[in-house]
């Protein structure tokens, strides 16, 4: 009986450029594969301290099981820790398709004046983006255009704060510092809001909103990039959004 091969965890080498390093991390995630089983192998509670989530990420590298979008964000943070020039922040999307709402999250990356992302999705256009976007809004509009290819309309975009590089931090990740109802806004206004937020983020003047209002935890993990067969059993994993 042949043991399935376990992909080696990527190691940063000084000879690597940051885009090459991010590519190595994304390649590793793809080798783990997207979890199509309908069962989530790792429990990710968004309100947990960063230190606890980093322990879960370590477990992911040991177990080498398929992952979904939320796990990919945690794993991406874990693997980019110790690279202070690489800022990481969560980007969440709520989309509408065929009478249902879907949720998806990727890890936004900012480095050397450029934006990109890491992540996992059923759709290759809804995960990693190269570190080439000059503004945060360029990156978000790229995702919005990618969603359109699958007839999904983006309803809300939520942007979190930069995640500290201290893996033993007891502070939780700030998932939704900026919430935009993009379906009710024109692009020029969306761009203005995103650029102001990005500027404040770069100047590190934003404080977690969760310090004032504890985040309500949502039940169950839910990935949600578009799916091909709406009749599949996985459909049940997609909940209707009540908000």
């Amino acid at each position: 009986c042949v043991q399935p091969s376990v992909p080696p965890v990527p190691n940063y080498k000084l000879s690597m450029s940051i885009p090459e390093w991010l590519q190595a991390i994304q390649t590793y995630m793809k080798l783990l594969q997207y979890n199509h089983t309908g069962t989530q192998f790792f429990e990710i509670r968004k309100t947990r301290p960063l230190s606890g989530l980093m322990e879960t990420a370590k477990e992911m590298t040991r177990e080498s099981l398929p992952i979904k979008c939320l796990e990919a964000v945690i794993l991406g943070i874990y693997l980019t820790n110790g690279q202070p020039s690489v800022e990481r922040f969560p980007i969440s999307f709520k989309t509408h398709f065929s009478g249902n709402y879907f949720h998806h999250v990727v890890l936004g990356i900012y480095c050397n004046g450029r934006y990109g992302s890491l992540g996992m999705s059923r759709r290759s256009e809804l995960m990693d983006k190269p570190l080439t976007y000059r503004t945060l809004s360029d990156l978000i509009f790229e995702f919005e255009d990618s969603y359109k290819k699958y007839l999904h309309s983006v309803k809300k975009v939520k942007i979190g704060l930069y995640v500290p590089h201290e893996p033993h931090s007891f502070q939780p990740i700030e998932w939704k510092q900026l919430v935009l109802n993009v379906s009710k806004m024109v692009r020029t206004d969306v761009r203005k809001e995103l650029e102001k937020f990005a500027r404040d983020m770069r100047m590190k003047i934003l404080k977690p909103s969760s310090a004032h209002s504890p985040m309500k935890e949502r039940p169950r993990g839910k990935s949600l990039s578009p799916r091909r067969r709406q009749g599949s059993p996985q459909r049940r994993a997609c909940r209707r959004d009540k908000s």
Side-chain angles (χ1 to χ4, degrees):
C1 153
V2 180
Q3 285 289 332
S5 63
V6 173
V9 181
N11 284 312
Y12 177 71
K13 299 178 184 67
L14 287 173
S15 59
M16 283 180 168
S17 67
I18 293 298
E20 284 169 343
W21 172 228
L22 295 173
Q23 188 57 59
I25 291 171
Q26 186 65 47
T27 299
Y28 170 70
M29 287 189 196
K30 286 176 183 171
L31 289 171
L32 293 180
Q33 300 182 347
Y34 186 85
N35 179 3
H36 290 279
T37 65
T39 301
Q40 195 147 353
F41 297 125
F42 304 96
E43 188 192 10
I44 308 285
R45 291 203 314 279
K46 285 182 167 184
T47 50
R48 277 186 84 192
L50 190 55
S51 55
L53 292 173
M54 293 302 94
E55 285 304 314
T56 304
K58 240 182 254 181
E59 196 189 329
M60 287 182 220
T61 62
R62 283 196 301 268
E63 301 288 339
S64 287
L65 292 167
I67 57 175
K68 288 188 176 183
C69 61
L70 185 55
E71 292 140 308
V73 167
I74 302 306
L75 187 56
I77 291 167
Y78 174 71
L79 293 171
T80 51
N81 275 339
Q83 287 289 342
S85 68
V86 179
E87 296 287 8
R88 302 83 41 87
F89 58 98
I91 304 172
S92 308
F93 299 93
K94 175 183 171 182
T95 61
H96 185 260
F97 171 73
S98 189
N100 290 293
Y101 289 99
F102 299 85
H103 292 264
H104 182 49
V105 62
V106 296
L107 185 64
I109 301 288
Y110 175 71
C111 180
N112 294 331
R114 292 288 184 274
Y115 289 89
S117 68
L118 295 171
M120 286 293 275
S121 167
R122 291 178 180 82
R123 304 293 195 178
S124 60
E125 295 96 330
L126 297 175
M127 36 201 271
D128 57 311
K129 300 286 183 184
L131 198 62
T132 54
Y133 297 88
R134 288 177 172 275
T135 65
L136 177 56
S137 50
D138 287 346
L139 176 64
I140 299 303
F141 294 154
E142 166 63 29
F143 271 104
E144 206 174 3
D145 293 343
S146 297
Y147 266 116
K148 278 179 190 160
K149 292 178 190 170
Y150 299 107
L151 308 180
H152 273 238
S153 58
V154 178
K155 295 295 179 186
K156 278 187 186 176
V157 175
K158 298 175 185 177
I159 316 275
L161 293 182
Y162 289 157
V163 178
H165 276 271
E166 173 45 66
H168 306 296
S169 170
F170 283 106
Q171 74 182 72
I173 293 169
E174 175 60 48
W175 295 90
K176 49 174 191 179
Q177 182 78 9
L178 178 70
V179 179
L180 295 177
N181 286 301
V182 292
S183 61
K184 296 177 180 171
M185 300 169 72
V186 293
R187 270 201 170 183
T188 48
D189 288 344
V190 174
R191 185 181 289 278
K192 206 179 295 176
E193 290 281 341
L194 285 169
E195 291 326 306
K196 180 188 182 303
F197 182 76
R199 201 163 51 244
D200 290 349
M201 283 244 281
R202 290 194 297 271
M203 293 169 68
K204 310 277 176 80
I205 60 176
L206 294 170
K207 294 286 174 276
S209 58
S210 56
H212 315 295
S213 55
M215 198 177 99
K216 288 191 178 66
E217 228 176 293
R218 283 202 176 119
R220 298 197 295 145
K222 59 283 149 205
S223 140
L224 298 196
S225 14
R227 47 194 37 140
R228 260 180 220 92
R229 296 188 308 279
Q230 287 295 317
S232 74
Q234 278 185 329
R235 174 85 178 271
R236 293 196 298 271
C238 275
R239 59 177 180 76
R240 293 276 178 122
D241 190 83
K242 302 288 189 291
S243 58

